Amino acid sequence: PTIQPTAIHSDKSKSNPNTQSTTEERQFIGCIGEWQAYQFMKQEFGPNVITPDSWVSEIRRKFLPPIYGEPDNISDSHGFDFRFTFNSKRWHVEVKSTKSDETQFDLGVTEIEASVRFANQNQLGLWRILRIRNTLSKNPNFDWLPNPFEEEYKDRFRFKENGMRLSYRPMKS
């Protein structure tokens, strides 16, 4: 399949209070979203490309635990949920799902670190976001988004609210 990354952003200054979720709801939506992403990408890229081993986030354990002899590369520290090769290009896909049609989402620390590391480094492969809107509906929407830290796409995204929170180690004087 030919997949063209597109980018969307929101002009809303605040998130819609009607779409805010509890921690448990967000975790549930994240689990369902990753399962939908797995199924969607199997259709888009083929079942020989998207295998259980392609799914590297901890959520995979809830659906497809590693089988005996399979290398266990499952971890939430990767900064992406899926890793595979398609048309000689290495893909790293972070899944972001919400129950609404909202175009805002959060990136965690490992996701930011990975997206920055892959930005403009073609030899490392692609880092992309598979955005799933209306995850709990009968017809979820799938959007391919580029890496927001790649130079050519920076103007298509906005960092909202607090941006990112940093911590540091004091320097010894």
Side-chain angles (χ1 to χ4, degrees):
T2 303
I3 297 177
Q4 296 296 322
T6 59
I8 55 177
H9 69 275
S10 176
D11 290 327
K12 300 174 188 174
S13 60
K14 298 236 181 218
S15 62
N16 182 343
N18 296 325
T19 62
Q20 292 178 354
S21 304
T22 66
T23 300
E24 293 81 17
E25 286 174 315
R26 284 191 303 275
Q27 289 172 345
F28 177 73
I29 291 165
C31 286
I32 298 301
E34 283 193 29
W35 176 253
Q36 290 171 331
Y38 177 69
Q39 299 300 323
F40 174 78
M41 289 191 296
K42 276 186 6 181
Q43 289 178 351
E44 291 293 309
F45 297 101
N48 294 333
V49 173
I50 305 299
T51 63
D53 192 44
S54 304
W55 193 351
V56 296
S57 80
E58 293 285 341
I59 290 176
R60 177 197 161 181
R61 292 185 194 283
K62 297 175 191 288
F63 295 98
L64 300 168
I67 58 173
Y68 180 76
E70 176 185 352
D72 189 354
N73 60 0
I74 297 172
S75 173
D76 283 340
S77 67
H78 294 302
F80 47 84
D81 301 313
F82 292 86
R83 175 177 48 206
F84 57 93
T85 301
F86 181 72
N87 285 345
S88 302
K89 193 69 159 175
R90 192 74 166 153
W91 286 63
H92 305 83
V93 178
E94 174 59 30
V95 177
K96 291 296 175 184
S97 52
T98 54
K99 66 181 180 180
S100 70
D101 200 35
E102 190 172 358
T103 60
Q104 294 184 63
F105 55 88
D106 296 325
L107 287 178
V109 172
T110 60
E111 296 153 3
I112 291 170
E113 289 172 347
S115 60
V116 168
R117 185 173 65 247
F118 285 94
N120 308 305
Q121 299 292 324
N122 290 333
Q123 71 275 11
L124 297 177
L126 303 170
W127 187 92
R128 296 293 184 252
I129 299 167
L130 178 55
R131 177 75 168 113
I132 307 174
R133 295 175 287 118
N134 302 306
T135 302
L136 302 180
S137 74
K138 290 181 182 179
N139 297 306
N141 306 98
F142 297 87
D143 299 314
W144 283 107
L145 304 177
N147 185 334
F149 293 97
E150 286 182 17
E151 202 58 45
E152 65 185 289
Y153 301 116
K154 280 185 173 182
D155 64 336
R156 300 177 82 180
F157 294 92
R158 290 192 199 131
F159 290 96
K160 303 297 263 182
E161 304 198 13
N162 293 332
M164 64 179 93
R165 184 179 190 92
L166 299 173
S167 64
Y168 68 97
R169 205 170 22 139
M171 294 175 51
K172 295 181 181 177
S173 22

